[in-house]
Amino acid sequence: MSSTLYRNGVIHSPADPFAQALLVDDGVVAWLGDDDTADGLAARADEVVDLDGALVAPGFVDAHVHVLETGLALESVPLSADAGVRSLGDALDAVARAARERSATDADVPLLGFGWDETEWPEGRPPTRAELDAAAGGAPVYLARVDVHSAVVSTALAQAEGLDRLPGWSDDGRVEREAHHAAREAARRLTPERRTAVYGRALAHAASQGVVSVHELSAPFIDTREGLVELLTSTADAASALPLVVGYRGELCVTVDDAREILAAIPGLTGIGGDLNVDGSLGSHTAALRAPYADADGSGALYLSAEQIANHVTAVTRAGVQGGFHVIGDRAMDEVALGLRAAADVEGVEAIGRAGHRLEHAEMVDAPTLASLILLGVRLSVQPAFDAAWGGEKGMYATRLGAGRAAALNPLADLAGAGIPLAFGSDAPVTPVDPWAGVRAAVLHTAPEQRISARAAFRASTRGGWRLAGLDHTGAGELRVGAPAHLAVWRAEHLVVQAPDGRLASWSTDARSGTPLLPFLGPDEESPRCLRTVRDGVVLYDALG
Ligand SMILES: [Zn+2]
């Protein structure tokens, strides 16, 4: 394997905060230090990169991704405000344009759209089936809502799949629950070749964002077991030139034999759980709450009981792997805590703690619950970009819960301060694979008391991901001698030490402060631009030119 010397830049390393140069040899960080000292190494390196002041930092880990849906979203008609769709009318125009531009051979393939959020549109409602039929000229159409828990479909798709006979069907084309699952199934019925291409598109996109590894949160309603096996085997080796996929499968186990069967079927699996849903989402009013929604009847839906949770945790602990759940509402979190404690009563607190089970989202965690999670060795996979998307006084969370309860959501400073192991993710395609956006959202949390430092947020987006999956023993996620060369090179305007309270005067531009520098992430600051992404010394993405 070849060696590369990066010099004349800023190396983000707690081991040497003043390093300007770094040598990658045989896939590992072989040396880092002063530029002056790099001269001798330049002669024997196969490649010498003049960074011209660019930042070399540990590569990102996105700890919650749905690769297939992310790839499909990249191929879909974008319907979010970010994509310029600001009304129902815009959305129908975009669908009509895409339908016109499709080749005739695709006529029977569902036209996919993604990312609509009716709460942000002046019309306050999604398209109807009749409107979709008109816009797409009668083609099968599937438009997923931004939270991917519901969709709207055209008549052609509804008839082909018999959606009107399933629970969750509305005559205006809105599909939820079973009807939504069937519609989504139809939307992602792919030939093997196309499936592989969609995976590749999503992973290449992640690499272009400085991501060296993604955690795939697979589940029966999201992708097949075979799909997960393909993702794991095709990315296991860095020679694939793709980010490493760390696999989780959300299938409920009752006994240890259930767990062993899944492990045998999916070689290389890291955990059984992930998007094993204890409840739904706030956007769809299905997150399970202690007190009712502010803008709808009811308190959401609980999909798993404490007993089921306890059995699952016991089974996977005995099988020797991580387990975990998708949990959003405080009522769902209570059920999880009950289930975990019941499992600990059987297996012992130590055994449960050693397994390091993980929870996805954990958006509503109060202090007593947090204390019990820490006691049980639980790790959290959270999505700061959710706060940027839906937090704040006028956001969706405030609409659903009222401002008081909403302000307590995604309590990043509480979680970080309590020392619970934390990893950041995007839940792509719910929010884009854009780790700097996650770091920025954590630094600029809509609740000022829940902001954390850029450094803590960056760590949760890098080393945190390796640690959450129990893969940090190699030193992955930090640039130090002997650690695997998982890194990204960034062009950024200002490199600073950024404090959590949002006061711009509080950051120091003095590189001699001894804290490794990071790009300044103001609300209107452009995100750093990725110049190169490297996994185990292998270049995954290159724009160095
Ligand atoms: Zn998910």
Side-chain angles (χ1 to χ4, degrees), residues 306 309-311 313-314 317 336-353 357 372 375-377:
I309 292 164
N311 283 340
V313 169
T314 304
T317 302
V336 169
L338 264 177
L340 281 165
R341 277 199 297 274
D345 286 344
V346 179
E347 298 298 301
V349 171
E350 260 180 49
I352 298 298
H357 301 300
S372 77
L375 184 72
L376 294 163

Side-chain angles (χ1 to χ4, degrees), residues 64-66 69 147-149 217-218 221-222 274-277 326 360-361 383 386 426-430:
H64 192 129
V65 169
H66 306 289
E69 287 188 61
D147 62 4
V148 302
H149 284 271
L217 282 290
S218 177
F221 62 93
I222 295 168
D275 273 352
L276 193 50
N277 292 350
H326 156 120
E360 309 305 313
H361 316 310
Q383 294 75 34
F386 284 9
S426 62
D427 201 359
V430 178

Side-chain angles (χ1 to χ4, degrees), residues 28-117:
V28 302
V29 176
W31 172 88
L32 51 85
D34 257 17
D35 215 40
D36 299 345
T37 339
D39 288 338
L41 299 165
R44 71 170 179 90
D46 298 307
E47 183 195 20
V48 178
V49 174
D50 181 355
L51 291 165
D52 187 25
L55 173 74
V56 178
F60 284 117
V61 178
D62 191 324
H64 192 129
V65 169
H66 306 289
V67 176
L68 183 65
E69 287 188 61
T70 300
L72 289 171
L74 289 168
E75 300 204 336
S76 297
V77 182
L79 298 172
S80 66
D82 287 346
V85 175
R86 301 185 185 285
S87 67
L88 170 58
D90 286 354
L92 289 169
D93 287 347
V95 168
R97 209 175 315 119
R100 274 196 309 274
E101 286 166 5
R102 282 193 338 154
S103 71
T105 50
D106 281 348
D108 294 335
V109 178
L111 177 68
L112 308 180
F114 170 75
W116 57 268
D117 181 350

